Amino acid sequence: MAMKDAQPGTIHLKDYEAPRYLIDKTTLKVEIEQDKAKVYATLNMRRNPESDYSDNCSGNPLDSSLDSSLVLSGQQLSLEHIAINGASLTTEQYVVTEEELTIHQVPDQFELVTEVIIYPKQNTSLEGLYKSRTMYCTQCEAEGFRRITYYLDRPDVMSEFTTTIIADQSECPVLLANGNPIGSGKVGDGRHWATWHDPFRKPAYLFAMVAGDLSVVEDQFTTCSGRIVDIRLYVEPKDKDKCGHAIQSLKHAMTWDEQVYGREYDLDLFMIVAVDDFNMGAMENKGLNIFNTSCVLAHPETTTDAGFQRVEAVVAHEYFHNWSGNRVTCRDWFQLSLKEGFTVFRDAEFSADMGSRTVKRVEDINLLRTVQFAEDAGPTAHPVQPASYMEISNFYTVTIYEKGAEVVRMIHTLLGPELFRQGSDLYFSRHDGQAVTIEDFVAAMAEVSGRDFSQFMNWYRQAGTPRLSVRSEYDEKAQQYRLHFKQSCEVTKLEEGKQQQGKQKNPYQIPVKVGLVTEQGDLAFSASDEKNPREKSQVIEITEPEQTVVFEGIETCPVPSLLRGFSAPVKLDYPYSREELALLMSHDSDGVNRWDASQQLAIQLMQSLMEDYRASKPLVMDDCLSQAYAKILSESADDRAMQALVLTLPSELLLAEISDEIDVEAIHQVRRFLCGQLGSILSDQWRDTYHANISTGSYIHNASEVAQRSLKNLALRYLANAKTEDSLALVQSQFDEADNMTDRLAALSTLVNDPRPEAAVLAMQALESFFNDWHHEPLVLNQWFQVQAACSLPGGLSRVKALMEHSTFDLHNPNKVRSVIGVFCNSNPVNFHCDGGEGYRFLADQVLALDKLNPQIAARLLTPLTRWRRFSEQKQALMKGELVRIMSEPKLSSDTYEIVSKSL
Ligand code: PHE
Ligand code: ZN
């Protein structure tokens, strides 16, 4: 049996070894031809003096024979020629397998030259060099460079790159690579060349090149030290009018990083290329970012407000990587969150500063609670710093990214902004040009603050979401208020079986920001273990499994506002009454907790309605929520963003996540019932809100207009849910008259989800006219697909199958796959989980088809099936059956194999 058919191996953090060889210089020449590309690589290599292996310190004489062999990674390469120091190697001097090239003996210092042939047009995995529409482009993170040439493809091998691209001038007039252009010319036969040099040493995962027929939009930025940086955004000619927002966002990000982190851009040129076929959102290649079109192009007519905000956030995220990721990079892939968690924290703060801080925080909390907590509770749970993996591509997760960012945020909360900045300055200066670990980052923070982070490291090393239970006690005579904290964290599925079952994890250090709220607002107080007297908000550090905090001089019994700003990524449990939640909703000075109180109130109500639904009792509305909503709606309209947040019911996904056993149907019916009731009880107020928030001018993208549109479209949805007579006309006229995609799409989706028969006719017509208007714009088509794939009315599966038959659908394009299959399986639970399990069978079929084309996308798509343990026994059996069917496929990719095997 060949190795490839065997199970993929597991790689462990504890086995990390420094590289045995280094590559000082990397010189590439890539010749793009009609049906192939030739890659010539010249690598200036030497033994790594830091490698233990070089000392042969083991004293074992057998090691010295191994000692001078060199193992390079390489996949799907056809080796044409290989030479060391100018002498060609004979086939006895090396061996090639599917994954590696081993040269039996190399000198201590040498020049290695290889020539390989690759096939970009046949590369459907979208890793390495591939063709997307009219351009050739690369994606090398995490291990894509090994599909371009034989290399030490690991982030702790950093090299100075010079890249020459040769291609047909009419097919590929634009030739780009990292760094600065240093030469170009013609080679005859209608072909031309360009050479680029990147002065910064970097790991191969940050390499990029692009060749294609692209238009460019240019701008400039003057850095804090007065250097002028050229900004170039390369897009397909038809997209030239969609570049302004990304460029503005980039300039804002460049300024923000100078002001908030003291980080200046370091090259004279910053390029972004937009590609339509891309596995992820975007990639921070040095000086040459490559973006999914969906994360860079924006225009009011084609892009929703959410789309504009995503562009701003992703442009900033990739830009921020220039320091947190590129100048200081990761030693190995177990440190992925070193760059990703930190950079997500940076981009979240940037977005908060650009728009509404509370809205941004609420969006992030929702993502964490619905998606990350679910991951932490499932079979693929892993620590922010994992201890092992089979396929690193599977670890670009919400845990690494979003929980990783929460962990950095907690460090920020514990240190405060000034010390945190000192820590980040120390980290960047100490490790500039190095490949380092999460421990190095934390050590810098520890050093500037004098704090001990040893217990804090549990956040990085333990998987799972801690639960924090809080109880309170008020002693009127002593004017004392006490909070009792109790923390716990269950052992996840993966850790079970290692004699760990039933065992608890080590306690975490949990920063809990607390306020005490009364009808009169926040109380000033001092907590027993805090030095700061009479504050309205304090960060209490919970470190013990159980801990009590006493507040002195408390004259009336307050309602506790816990975990303000969501100061730690935990599941909080406090026995709030409905009255207490209503009080927090209107009096808490912390916006996040005002919103959270509305969510908790709605959750309490929905959970009791779900019990009634399951007991086949009629659903009866309780006034507490409608009264609270009425109050919010009648308040002055100065914070519409906040109003829209507070008036939005918790999603079906969130309700699923907090259920013991997920009852998809009950969740859906109860939420629909509540939307309908709130819509009709408050219909006059919704109608007024709708009309009061219609914008008079033309579309502008700014925080207040975004808030106005979101409140208006929320009101429209409530009216439609209430099936008020006027709602159809309102929806239809908004659809017809909207001058922007936000309003048009809101109307379309409201119409498509309206169960009334008269709505169905209108929805059909609207979908058709939308398609006719936009079929030439892939990004708009994706939204057209998404609206239909998410439609929760009966018959979802056959609608989705029909969409996949549509001439514009393409299984090779990840955005299309996500828009149709991804949206259906993740955001349309009633249809995906329909009785009989046809949804599960459908997903498994798609995963198997995709596994042959693009394993990364296949493995990612699989997620909903891996959550089978959360459902009824009957659904469990059906879901598991499909996983078993996938598992029995003989040639699974390591990506899909890892996810399926861990799930079973
Ligand atoms: N490093 C990219 C980011 O988060 C994500 C990415 C990973 C893109 C792997 C492509 C491939 O900014
Ligand atoms: Zn990133």
Side-chain angles (χ1 to χ4, degrees), residues 178-191:
N178 313 87
N180 306 307
I182 55 168
S184 62
K186 298 195 193 297
V187 283
D189 250 15
R191 291 165 68 75

Side-chain angles (χ1 to χ4, degrees), residues 284 317-318 321 339-340 343 401:
E284 69 264 23
H317 178 98
E318 306 311 330
H321 269 315
K339 72 177 178 81
E340 296 304 346
T343 304
Y401 276 68

Side-chain angles (χ1 to χ4, degrees), residues 243-401:
C243 296
H245 181 62
I247 289 177
Q248 277 316 308
S249 302
L250 175 62
K251 290 161 91 177
H252 289 153
M254 293 175 97
T255 304
W256 189 90
D257 213 20
E258 290 179 350
Q259 289 175 351
V260 181
Y261 281 85
R263 299 292 121 198
E264 186 182 358
Y265 186 60
D266 53 10
L267 284 163
D268 298 329
L269 178 58
F270 188 85
M271 298 177 281
I272 294 180
V273 179
V275 300
D276 203 51
D277 299 281
F278 202 73
N279 283 345
M280 309 279 271
M283 180 62 210
E284 69 264 23
N285 317 300
K286 184 79 187 186
L288 179 57
N289 287 357
I290 296 184
F291 272 62
N292 188 322
T293 47
S294 72
C295 293
V296 62
L297 303 179
H299 188 282
E301 283 178 20
T302 56
T303 313
T304 61
D305 289 338
F308 270 82
Q309 273 152 9
R310 185 170 61 243
V311 167
E312 181 183 69
V314 179
V315 166
H317 178 98
E318 306 311 330
Y319 174 73
F320 295 155
H321 269 315
N322 190 54
W323 276 95
S324 48
N326 301 2
R327 287 288 286 257
V328 181
T329 195
C330 301
R331 187 191 74 174
D332 54 71
W333 292 119
F334 298 101
Q335 319 301 328
L336 181 56
S337 195
L338 173 68
K339 72 177 178 81
E340 296 304 346
F342 187 23
T343 304
V344 171
F345 172 69
R346 277 149 59 66
D347 83 57
E349 285 297 293
F350 167 76
S351 295
D353 286 345
M354 294 294 117
S356 157
R357 179 160 284 271
T358 309
V359 173
K360 172 62 182 162
R361 193 67 191 127
V362 165
E363 286 164 0
D364 289 348
I365 297 166
N366 269 330
L367 179 63
L368 208 73
R369 282 186 177 156
T370 53
V371 188
Q372 199 279 323
F373 285 10
E375 180 165 272
D376 249 348
T380 55
H382 52 278
V384 172
Q385 184 185 56
S388 67
Y389 62 76
M390 287 182 195
E391 174 53 63
I392 187 56
S393 300
N394 286 330
F395 283 74
Y396 288 78
T397 62
V398 277
T399 298
I400 301 291
Y401 276 68

Side-chain angles (χ1 to χ4, degrees), residues 119-181:
Y119 299 89
K121 285 184 179 164
Q122 292 168 35
N123 181 354
T124 58
S125 71
L126 313 187
E127 274 187 286
L129 178 64
Y130 63 92
K131 181 132 199 239
S132 173
R133 290 165 65 103
T134 59
M135 71 188 94
Y136 292 89
C137 64
T138 55
Q139 173 51 47
C140 294
E141 189 179 2
E143 297 179 334
F145 193 74
R146 62 188 63 185
R147 292 164 180 259
I148 296 174
T149 193
Y150 286 106
Y151 207 73
L152 295 178
D153 188 6
R154 44 186 287 169
D156 55 355
V157 172
M158 298 171 77
S159 183
E160 188 183 321
F161 281 72
T162 305
T163 307
T164 299
I165 310 167
I166 304 168
D168 184 85
Q169 180 146 25
S170 60
E171 197 196 349
C172 299
V174 174
L175 306 174
L176 310 172
N178 313 87
N180 306 307

Side-chain angles (χ1 to χ4, degrees), residues 47 298 510 527:
R47 238 173 224 289
I510 307 176

